[in-house]
Amino acid sequence: EAGVAQSPRYKIIEKRQSVAFWCNPISGHATLYWYQQILGQGPKLLIQFQNNGVVDDSQLPKDRFSAERLKGVDSTLKIQPAKLEDSAVYLCASSSGVLVYGYTFGSGTRLTVV
Amino acid sequence: AQKITQTQPGMFVQEKEAVTLDCTYDTSDQSYGLFWYKQPSSGEMIFLIYQGSYDEQNATEGRYSLNFQKARKSANLVISASQLGDSAMYFCAMRGGSNYQLIWGAGTKLIIKP
């Protein structure tokens, strides 16, 4: 089966600009996660979707970050306006609910804000 | 509160030697799952091994085994016969709570020396 697709792979923007990331999960996976991973740290959950509904967005900085998952498939994460501290890898993961195997991750988007 | 602790920021190991990466966890849940992921410099998260809290036997996957000591709340990863390609960041994570979210440790950077 195809893996979790993410784009772009890399992005460099200036502070106060906006940026969007795209994720296409594994077909049939109902749950989709967006994580932020700052260099040298473990991933931090930003938002979790179940189909097209939000399960948890408690750690999403809602003044600048937004995410949507239309039709319960693809998802987009947006940052507007970006700050220097947003420089990180943004990982998308999906899960079928088969607990043993947990989650499948995409290759991530490495964002640099200058 | 749920927490994962990885106390080894970095490790150097000689090729072909076995290596143990430490992970301790804290949770009040009776049912939980423990995962190990490998993250090479390319950034993707690669699933290695899973241990369920009710599993009586330690999980094994090829050269990877998980030393699960429930009473001590530890879930150490053992890599046998290390290879140069094992050089990467290794993350321990725990699935808990009703939303099946992952709580992550800070990671251990493993470098295999030829």
Side-chain angles (χ1 to χ4, degrees), chain A residues 103 105, chain B residues 35-38 45-48 89-91 104:
Chain A
Y103 317 82
F105 285 81
Chain B
F35 298 81
W36 277 93
Y37 286 88
K38 173 184 179 181
M45 274 299 178
I46 302 168
F47 166 76
L48 295 179
M89 284 290 291
Y90 288 80
F91 290 95
W104 296 82

Side-chain angles (χ1 to χ4, degrees), chain A residues 9 37 48 55-56 100 103, chain B residues 39 42 95 99-101:
Chain A
R9 190 75 175 89
Q37 186 179 18
Q48 175 184 352
V55 174
D56 185 350
V100 172
Y103 317 82
Chain B
Q39 188 177 42
S42 57
R95 182 196 67 240
N99 291 332
Y100 298 120
Q101 295 175 1

Side-chain angles (χ1 to χ4, degrees), chain B residues 4-49:
Chain B
I4 292 284
T5 302
Q6 294 181 256
T7 57
Q8 305 154 309
M11 290 186 69
F12 287 89
V13 173
Q14 201 70 38
E15 187 181 10
K16 298 181 185 177
E17 288 184 351
V19 57
T20 297
L21 304 181
D22 295 340
C23 172
T24 58
Y25 61 92
D26 189 17
T27 181
S28 57
D29 290 347
Q30 295 301 309
S31 176
Y32 52 89
L34 296 156
F35 298 81
W36 277 93
Y37 286 88
K38 173 184 179 181
Q39 188 177 42
S41 56
S42 57
E44 60 190 301
M45 274 299 178
I46 302 168
F47 166 76
L48 295 179
I49 198 166

